[in-house]
Amino acid sequence: MRYYARFIIVCLLLNKDENVRQLISELEGLIEEYTKSFKPPDAKEWQMVLEEISTFTEAEKKLVPINLDRTPDKIEHRLSANIPERNIGSVCKLKLQEAILVGNYQKQIKFSELTLDMYRMLQSLEREPYVLHPSTTTKNTKSNDTNANESIAGSVKEEQSTTVATKSTGTNLGANTNPSNKRSNPHKYLLYRPSLSQLMVYISTAFKDTSDGSALLLYLSADGCAYPDQTVPGYGGGVVTNQRNKITTNADRATAANPSSNTAAGSATTSSVNVVPATAVSTTVAAASNNASSTAGSNVVASSTNAAAATTSAEPTVTTPSVHCLHPADLVPFTRKPLFLIVDSNNSTEFKNMPNVFDQPVMCLMSPIEYPSSVQDKSEIGSLFTLFLHTPLLGFCSVSDIGNLDQQKWDACVQKIAIMEKAIGDLLITDATVDKNVKRFMSDDFLYYFIVRFVLCGIFLRYHSSFKDERSFPSSFPSLPDSVYVSSEIVTMLGDLTAIADVGTYFSLPSYATTTGTTNIAITSTATIINPGSNASSINVAAPTVNVAPTPVNTNPISTSPTSIVTPMEIA
């Protein structure tokens, strides 16, 4: 059953949806047989594993409109392997080299230690494997071999990638053999509910590995923390990290009493690093042993005690910053190299004035801090802001309550979103008022689409009838010109999109944006253009909806590590 659970994760990362559906069905049968035959003490834990994957796949399925034949539409999730070059001008280009994806929400949809929002960002940072098209028949055999290697390797970068535990020798496995294709996927760390000390270690490691002319992406999905009376610059709030200052479960106590088990878990995680890149992900699974967590917990206790003492002696008008909070000032040392920050939190705007003291490119995309009551909660479909960055069309369907859409209209919507993205990108590149550092980030394909989709999200929400408060709109630092949000060209395209999907009542658009909808429907409904910046997967796994809280540390039968996705474990 543990092998089944791990293989489900592998299939999720590779978008093998048919395999996921089959594996879930077989795992359900195995768990039922296991429970009836042995009546084991961990039966509830295995039921929770089944509920988690069911909730995970159901959350994805809820967003996908259904065709007339009752089948889900096919969704494009990954970037195309062939994206045309953009003329950014005279600015120095950047390349996204390292990415850290953090899931620290107390309550979020997850399977094992892979949250739904982390999964979406992970897919958004992947490019479809490059496929060669030989011009002569004599090269067919060689090209087929090359394509097979690239499909396995996922067009993994050839540069040496470093993990905290060891050098990843699997990064070069089956590396792209086409010399003309210089684009590659960034190296990634997945951190599920890390403590502050763990998070800082991984940020430091990724920062060290980021070379000249490259950028580091930090994605934070976490609850916010704020201090209304705080006056210390840079420490007025931020996002919460995980607290491990005490042992709360029997499994924790048993693991702490037997440190040797931590070594085995760590070794297993290190070996799995070489497996993940070979499955077209090039992802480093960030794992931390319970022994290290216990040590970090002891330090946290001491820090908390010192902080409490400092609070007592400090001025009554100043609140002592939390030792479990990542503050904007904590990231200032890492702005010595280009840093691209995405904060999805109810206190995201705390990062809007992060100082740039080293004159390096720094940009922060911040989620809305409040959503209207009509918008679905993240416990049902994940974060709306992350969804827009992942696949804007699904975000549009979510806020417009689109549940049924025939294939012809769906294809027309896909094309219209692609045209809108290109128009937004062109406006940002040609606008002289846009910060030059923003344009530098736009020279990278992945960051380009994040910025464009961020603007697209802002346009959708600003013209949506339910979104009226500024707190419900995304924001950025440095800020982007308002002209891009009110561009008549883009707003007219939005009117066309609402007409195609027949959801015009959800949006309050200017009169000029609603007059050409009928004509554009006839034009776009027959188009077959696929969004080059959209991403590739068919989400069609049907499963019962069960919303569950994240599994407590060391109770998941799949893993003992708080930040590991595929670490094996022997059940006590």
Side-chain angles (χ1 to χ4, degrees):
M1 291 188 294
R2 288 194 296 270
Y3 282 127
Y4 265 86
R6 294 177 208 141
F7 193 46
I8 287 174
I9 292 177
V10 173
C11 292
L12 279 173
L13 297 178
L14 293 178
N15 294 321
K16 302 292 185 180
D17 304 296
E18 291 295 331
N19 297 43
V20 169
R21 182 168 55 184
Q22 179 182 353
L23 290 169
I24 291 176
S25 177
E26 294 180 12
L27 177 61
E28 186 176 7
L30 289 172
I31 292 176
E32 182 178 358
E33 181 182 356
Y34 172 65
T35 303
K36 288 182 178 179
S37 301
F38 300 101
K39 295 181 172 52
D42 61 346
K44 291 184 178 180
E45 296 171 7
W46 277 109
Q47 285 297 330
M48 181 173 288
V49 170
L50 193 60
E51 290 173 355
E52 281 187 356
I53 185 57
S54 299
T55 305
F56 193 101
T57 53
E58 182 67 16
E60 287 285 78
K61 181 174 175 290
K62 283 180 180 178
L63 297 169
V64 182
I66 304 298
N67 283 322
L68 296 178
D69 58 358
R70 308 306 299 168
T71 60
D73 288 297
K74 182 176 178 58
I75 309 298
E76 300 286 327
H77 282 317
R78 293 180 172 179
L79 260 63
S80 169
N82 300 299
I83 297 179
E85 293 287 342
R86 295 171 298 279
N87 183 15
I88 307 297
S90 59
V91 298
C92 297
K93 294 184 178 180
L94 285 175
K95 177 182 178 182
L96 180 60
Q97 179 178 338
E98 303 288 331
I100 301 177
L101 310 181
V102 179
N104 236 329
Y105 269 111
Q106 186 71 22
K107 295 181 179 179
Q108 54 189 339
I109 299 173
K110 73 178 188 69
F111 177 53
S112 184
E113 275 76 38
L114 179 66
T115 72
L116 184 59
D117 291 335
M118 290 168 61
Y119 167 75
R120 287 171 177 164
M121 289 299 296
L122 178 65
Q123 293 294 327
S124 300
L125 290 169
E126 285 292 311
R127 191 190 304 276
E128 282 300 313
Y130 187 85
V131 178
L132 291 175
H133 297 284
S135 57
T136 59
T137 56
T138 57
K139 298 181 180 180
N140 282 343
T141 304
K142 181 178 180 180
S143 298
N144 289 337
D145 293 339
T146 302
N147 292 338
N149 289 335
E150 290 169 352
S151 297
I152 295 174
S155 191
V156 184
K157 70 175 184 179
E158 295 187 24
E159 293 86 353
Q160 188 178 29
S161 296
T162 308
T163 67
V164 172
T166 183
K167 295 283 185 180
S168 175
T169 57
T171 305
N172 293 329
L173 181 61
N176 192 352
T177 57
N178 179 23
S180 65
N181 180 28
K182 298 180 181 180
R183 304 186 183 97
S184 60
N185 298 326
H187 177 246
K188 309 171 193 67
Y189 296 88
L190 304 180
L191 302 182
Y192 171 72
R193 301 201 64 194
S195 64
L196 180 65
S197 58
Q198 290 173 329
L199 179 57
M200 297 301 285
V201 166
Y202 286 107
I203 295 176
S204 300
T205 301
F207 174 82
K208 177 178 66 71
D209 293 339
T210 303
S211 59
D212 295 337
S214 299
L216 165 64
L217 166 67
L218 176 60
Y219 168 78
L220 298 171
S221 171
D223 296 299
C225 60
Y227 328 115
D229 300 327
Q230 180 55 250
T231 59
V232 180
Y235 290 94
V239 295
V240 177
T241 57
N242 197 22
Q243 304 179 26
R244 301 190 183 98
N245 57 350
K246 59 182 178 180
I247 298 175
T248 57
T249 65
N250 291 333
D252 288 331
R253 296 186 181 93
T255 306
N258 183 17
S260 61
S261 62
N262 295 326
T263 304
S267 300
T269 304
T270 301
S271 64
S272 70
V273 170
N274 295 335
V275 176
V276 180
T279 58
V281 183
S282 182
T283 304
T284 299
V285 178
S289 67
N290 290 326
N291 207 24
S293 299
S294 300
T295 304
S298 302
N299 295 334
V300 168
V301 173
S303 299
S304 300
T305 305
N306 295 336
T311 304
T312 305
S313 59
E315 292 295 331
T317 58
V318 178
T319 304
T320 303
S322 170
V323 296
H324 302 296
C325 178
L326 179 70
H327 304 87
D330 295 329
L331 299 176
V332 172
F334 304 108
T335 61
R336 289 176 169 87
K337 295 180 182 180
L339 177 65
F340 194 89
L341 189 63
I342 300 177
V343 184
D344 192 338
S345 172
N346 57 357
N347 192 39
S348 61
T349 53
E350 193 66 40
F351 291 82
K352 66 182 177 181
N353 293 321
M354 192 170 69
N356 184 1
V357 298
F358 299 106
D359 196 29
Q360 289 290 324
V362 176
M363 187 171 189
C364 181
L365 305 183
M366 294 161 283
S367 69
I369 57 178
E370 287 184 359
Y371 289 101
S373 57
S374 59
V375 176
Q376 285 183 290
D377 185 70
K378 64 177 178 293
S379 61
E380 296 182 3
I381 61 167
S383 167
L384 181 64
F385 179 67
T386 297
L387 183 61
F388 268 106
L389 298 182
H390 171 54
T391 309
L393 185 51
L394 289 184
F396 172 77
C397 291
S398 177
V399 298
S400 305
D401 295 331
I402 297 176
N404 296 279
L405 208 62
D406 63 68
Q407 188 65 51
Q408 188 181 32
K409 288 185 176 180
W410 177 263
D411 292 341
C413 289
V414 169
Q415 184 208 14
K416 183 59 66 175
I417 290 287
I419 297 174
M420 294 179 72
E421 287 182 339
K422 185 179 186 307
I424 292 172
D426 292 342
L427 283 177
L428 292 175
I429 292 174
T430 57
D431 193 332
T433 62
V434 175
D435 191 284
K436 64 177 183 179
N437 289 331
V438 174
K439 294 184 179 181
R440 288 193 66 186
F441 283 123
M442 293 183 71
S443 62
D444 178 84
D445 289 340
F446 297 104
L447 300 183
Y448 169 85
Y449 279 106
F450 282 144
I451 294 173
V452 167
R453 291 168 183 172
F454 168 83
V455 173
L456 194 59
C457 173
I459 294 174
F460 282 156
L461 301 190
R462 279 170 171 77
Y463 286 98
H464 195 282
S465 302
S466 298
F467 291 78
K468 300 177 180 179
D469 194 330
E470 284 291 331
R471 296 161 62 88
S472 299
F473 302 146
S475 55
S476 69
F477 171 79
S479 60
L480 299 174
D482 292 335
S483 58
V484 71
Y485 294 104
V486 296
S487 166
S488 58
E489 178 188 5
I490 307 298
V491 176
T492 300
M493 292 181 187
L494 175 58
D496 297 342
L497 182 65
T498 59
I500 294 171
D502 195 22
V503 291
T505 56
Y506 286 84
F507 294 84
S508 301
L509 297 172
S511 58
Y512 68 81
T514 59
T515 58
T516 59
T518 306
T519 304
N520 279 292
I521 294 174
I523 297 174
T524 57
S525 60
T526 58
T528 57
I529 298 176
I530 300 301
N531 183 355
S534 265
N535 307 319
S537 156
S538 173
I539 306 170
N540 53 9
V541 182
T545 303
V546 185
N547 292 328
V548 296
T551 308
V553 177
N554 289 330
T555 60
N556 193 326
I558 305 173
S559 171
T560 60
S561 170
T563 56
S564 171
I565 292 182
V566 292
T567 304
M569 160 185 170
E570 292 298 328
I571 300 175

